């Protein structure tokens, strides 16, 4: 039997199957778009960590250690050291010397730093001369030229060295040391860390000279500082540097490079950036970087402005005795994806100051001086070449908050929610209309059946 017009669904009453599938597809697509956006944001955050695989081993997570050094009981020397009278100052008593030698026997520079070692300057010498008893066993360091020394045998049969230094301000200091620098001769410039024992007198070429006597474990080589920065010496060292290449001829950061970097850092410490107009200095962009990597000699010692770039790694360390006389240096790596023609996309640097507070900074800007192209091995074992700089300034760059990603995320989330709601409402309306249609069909069937029964009875 053919269907009557009442058996057909009313036009527009129900969602077509294809339309329902389209709505579901739109919802799924929106969810996928939001998921892809969030995934890309997460990948961007993790990329900086992956970039570290492109640089050399160097900056490790700093390990903070505190060296505990027992204090020397200076009261054991009270009234025992003779230096109140001029004649007493030529005497050296083993009973007061040996305790200090024994106490400092295993010391190094870290031990003296832990004790709060200070330079022996003019005001300090005045205080020691005025009241030596109040300063017994206090730690000081001096730098100067070895004017005389002789080797003696100590109380335990071990060698020790007694002598006198001419300091940079033309004053004198005496020393008793357990060891001398290898190959040390009269006239060498040295540094000596020790504990003050007494005011001491010794006979020099022009008569008797007096100065504090320091007792310590060893003397080390040092560098005298001229009154003025020697620019000619800097350029002379820079001219002797040769760039590294992957093909060979690798000299690293030693030799002339080491000397040049410290001469430059000494100039930075003492003069700052006098005479440098950084606004006129070239910017280290892709073009200038290609020039440096191609012909480093032409740019040796040139000042550069480093634009905003990624802080790849940063660490500080105590370099020991050095020509610039700095206690801490900062080293690190800076990288930028805009340096597309530099395979490493990074540079290495050193600077004569402690900026460890920037270790967690993501972006930095800086300025400094190009030294050389040097070869290094990445953590993946590849050999690459990158520029090496001495920086005189570095600072964190904090960009203005960019809410674009947040707005896009909100918009995509809103669209997704609205799409899901529309699908849910459409499905609910479709279900309701389907129920109404079914109820209407039942009612019409009953009405038709009643009509048919009435016809039969009539």
């Amino acid at each position: 039997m053919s269907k009557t017009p009442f058996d057909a669904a009313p036009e527009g009453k129900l969602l077509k199957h294809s339309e329902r599938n389209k709505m579901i597809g739109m919802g799924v697509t929106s969810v996928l778009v939001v998921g892809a956006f969030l995934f890309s944001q997460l990948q961007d955050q993790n990329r900086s960590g992956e970039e570290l695989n492109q640089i050399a081993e160097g900056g490790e997570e700093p390990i903070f250690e505190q060296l505990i050094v027992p204090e020397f009981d200076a009261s054991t020397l009270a009234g025992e050291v003779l230096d109140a009278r001029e004649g007493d100052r030529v005497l050296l008593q083993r009973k007061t010397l040996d305790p200090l030698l024994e106490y400092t026997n295993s010391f190094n520079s870290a031990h003296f730093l832990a004790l709060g070692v200070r330079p022996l300057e003019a005001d300090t010498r005045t205080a020691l001369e005025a009241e030596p008893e109040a300063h017994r066993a206090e730690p000081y360091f001096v730098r100067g030229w070895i004017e005389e020394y002789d080797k003696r045998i100590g109380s335990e049969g071990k060698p020790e060295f007694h002598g006198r230094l001419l300091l940079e301000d033309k004053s004198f200091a005496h020393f008793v040391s357990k060891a001398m620098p290898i190959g040390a001769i009269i006239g060498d410039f040295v540094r000596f860390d020790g504990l003050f024992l007494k005011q001491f007198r010794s006979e020099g070429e022009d008569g008797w000279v007096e100065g504090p006597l320091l007792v310590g474990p060893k003397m080390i080589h040092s560098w005298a500082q001229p009154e003025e920065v020697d620019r000619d010496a800097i350029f002379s060292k820079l001219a002797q540097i040769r760039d590294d290449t992957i093909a060979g001829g690798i000299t690293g950061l030693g030799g002339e490079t080491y000397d040049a970097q410290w001469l430059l850092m000494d100039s930075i410490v003492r003069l700052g950036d006098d005479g440098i107009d950084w606004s006129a200095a070239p910017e280290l962009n892709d073009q200038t970087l290609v020039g440096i990597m191609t012909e480093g000699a032409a740019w040796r010692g040139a000042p550069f402005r480093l634009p905003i770039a990624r802080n790849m790694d940063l660490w500080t360390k105590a370099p020991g005795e050095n020509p610039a006389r700095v206690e801490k240096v900062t080293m690190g790596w800076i990288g930028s994806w805009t340096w597309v023609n530099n395979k490493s996309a990074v540079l290495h640097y050193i600077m004569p100051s402690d900026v460890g507070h920037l270790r967690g900074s993501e972006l930095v800007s800086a300025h400094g001086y190009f030294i050389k192209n040097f070869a290094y091995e990445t953590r993946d074992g590849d050999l690459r070449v990158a520029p090496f700089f001495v920086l005189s300034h570095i600072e964190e760059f904090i960009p203005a908050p960019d809410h674009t990603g947040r707005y896009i995320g909100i918009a995509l989330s809103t669209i997704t929610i609205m799409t899901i709601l529309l699908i849910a409402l459409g499905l609910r309306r479709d279900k309701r209309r389907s129920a109404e249609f079914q109820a209407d069909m039942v009612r019409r069937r009953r009405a038709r059946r009643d009509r048919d029964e009435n016809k039969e009875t009539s």
Side-chain angles (χ1 to χ4, degrees):
M1 183 176 64
S2 62
K3 291 184 179 180
T4 66
F6 300 104
D7 294 329
E11 185 178 355
K13 283 288 184 179
L14 299 176
L15 286 175
K16 294 181 179 179
H17 184 70
S18 60
E19 292 177 346
R20 183 164 55 243
N21 288 344
K22 286 181 180 179
M23 292 182 69
I24 295 173
M26 288 173 60
V28 172
T29 301
S30 299
V31 172
L32 291 176
V33 169
V34 173
F37 173 75
L38 295 176
F39 179 75
S40 67
Q41 292 293 101
L42 181 62
Q43 288 293 97
D44 185 61
Q45 292 176 3
N46 292 335
R47 187 174 296 121
S48 60
E50 296 172 358
E51 289 169 353
L52 290 176
N53 290 327
Q54 304 303 317
I55 66 175
E57 296 285 355
E60 301 292 339
E61 199 66 33
I63 300 175
F64 298 99
E65 296 181 349
Q66 184 177 7
L67 183 63
I68 305 299
V69 181
E71 292 186 6
F72 181 82
D73 185 4
S75 65
T76 60
L77 301 178
E80 298 293 333
V81 182
L82 302 177
D83 60 356
R85 297 174 301 179
E86 188 174 279
D88 294 335
R89 295 172 191 165
V90 299
L91 303 176
L92 191 55
Q93 305 159 279
R94 298 302 313 190
K95 68 176 182 178
T96 58
L97 173 62
D98 288 342
L100 291 184
L101 284 173
E102 181 180 354
Y103 174 66
T104 61
N105 183 55
S106 60
F107 276 21
N108 56 36
S109 59
H111 293 86
F112 282 102
L113 284 174
L115 289 176
V117 66
R118 296 178 294 160
L120 189 63
E121 298 175 333
D123 57 342
T124 309
R125 286 196 303 273
T126 301
L128 297 182
E129 292 170 2
E131 196 177 1
E133 190 70 25
H135 300 281
R136 307 289 185 206
E138 288 185 350
Y140 297 97
F141 71 84
V142 291
R143 291 186 180 95
W145 293 269
I146 301 174
E147 192 167 70
E148 68 171 36
Y149 80 94
D150 59 75
K151 182 178 179 180
R152 303 181 188 179
I153 300 301
S155 57
E156 297 181 356
K158 296 182 179 179
E160 58 189 40
F161 300 87
H162 297 232
R164 183 177 65 245
L165 300 178
L166 173 63
L167 308 186
E168 290 177 295
D169 63 359
K170 307 308 178 185
S171 64
F172 295 93
H174 297 85
F175 65 86
V176 176
S177 175
K178 298 295 288 289
M180 294 289 287
I182 297 176
I185 59 175
I186 301 298
D188 281 357
F189 193 84
V190 295
R191 169 173 169 159
F192 184 64
D193 294 42
L195 304 182
F196 171 68
L197 176 59
K198 64 179 293 181
Q199 289 296 113
F200 194 76
R201 286 170 62 85
S202 62
E203 189 172 7
E205 293 182 359
D206 299 325
W208 291 91
V209 294
E210 185 171 309
L213 173 66
L214 302 181
V215 179
K218 62 182 178 179
M219 188 174 285
I220 60 175
H221 282 297
S222 185
W223 293 263
Q225 277 192 335
E227 293 184 5
E228 297 183 358
V229 174
D230 190 345
R231 297 285 189 185
D232 292 338
I234 297 175
F235 291 122
S236 175
K237 286 295 181 181
L238 287 171
Q240 298 175 49
I241 296 175
R242 296 293 178 265
D243 291 313
D244 294 346
T245 62
I246 294 179
I250 298 175
T251 58
L253 301 179
E256 291 81 8
T257 303
Y258 179 86
D259 295 338
Q261 77 172 23
W262 282 112
L263 287 171
L264 260 176
M265 286 195 283
D266 176 47
S267 174
I268 291 169
V269 170
R270 296 167 67 182
L271 301 179
D273 289 323
D274 285 358
I276 302 295
D277 181 4
W278 288 105
S279 62
E283 181 181 272
L284 191 67
N285 53 32
D286 194 47
Q287 181 179 358
T288 54
L289 191 58
V290 169
I292 286 175
M293 299 295 289
T294 304
E295 191 177 358
W299 298 94
R300 198 91 64 213
F304 280 91
R305 289 180 293 112
L306 277 62
I308 300 165
R310 188 176 296 278
N311 177 29
M312 306 293 291
D313 203 2
L314 179 153
W315 66 97
T316 62
K317 70 175 186 178
E321 186 68 359
N322 59 82
R325 300 185 179 180
V326 294
E327 294 184 0
K328 283 287 189 70
V329 296
T330 299
M331 303 183 72
W333 296 83
I334 294 175
S336 174
W337 288 112
T338 63
W339 298 339
V340 295
N341 288 300
N342 177 12
K343 185 178 180 181
S344 295
V346 296
L347 63 83
H348 187 34
Y349 70 86
I350 186 172
M351 64 183 303
S353 55
D354 183 354
V355 292
H357 62 281
L358 295 180
R359 183 174 176 84
S361 302
E362 182 177 355
L363 300 174
V364 294
S365 62
H367 54 239
Y369 305 87
F370 170 69
I371 302 297
K372 69 172 292 185
N373 297 311
F374 89 105
Y376 67 96
E377 185 176 343
T378 69
R379 292 177 177 175
D380 293 334
D382 297 331
L383 189 64
R384 294 185 179 177
V385 175
F388 176 64
F389 276 75
V390 170
L391 298 187
S392 58
H393 175 76
I394 187 172
E395 63 182 22
E396 182 179 16
F397 174 77
I398 302 177
D402 184 3
H403 301 299
T404 303
R406 179 184 176 187
Y407 295 150
I408 293 175
I410 293 174
L412 290 175
S413 299
T414 302
I415 292 172
T416 301
I417 293 172
M418 293 298 295
T419 302
I420 293 173
L421 289 175
L422 288 174
I423 292 174
L425 290 173
L427 293 175
R428 182 177 180 183
R429 183 184 62 180
D430 189 36
K431 183 178 180 180
R432 186 183 67 251
R433 290 185 175 181
S434 178
E436 292 174 352
F437 175 71
Q438 291 298 329
D440 186 56
M441 290 293 293
V442 170
R443 185 175 63 255
R444 293 186 183 192
R445 287 193 189 98
R446 287 177 178 174
R448 187 170 59 250
R449 187 171 57 250
D450 291 343
R451 287 196 302 269
D452 292 341
E453 290 176 354
N454 292 334
K455 288 180 180 180
E456 290 178 358
T457 54
S458 61

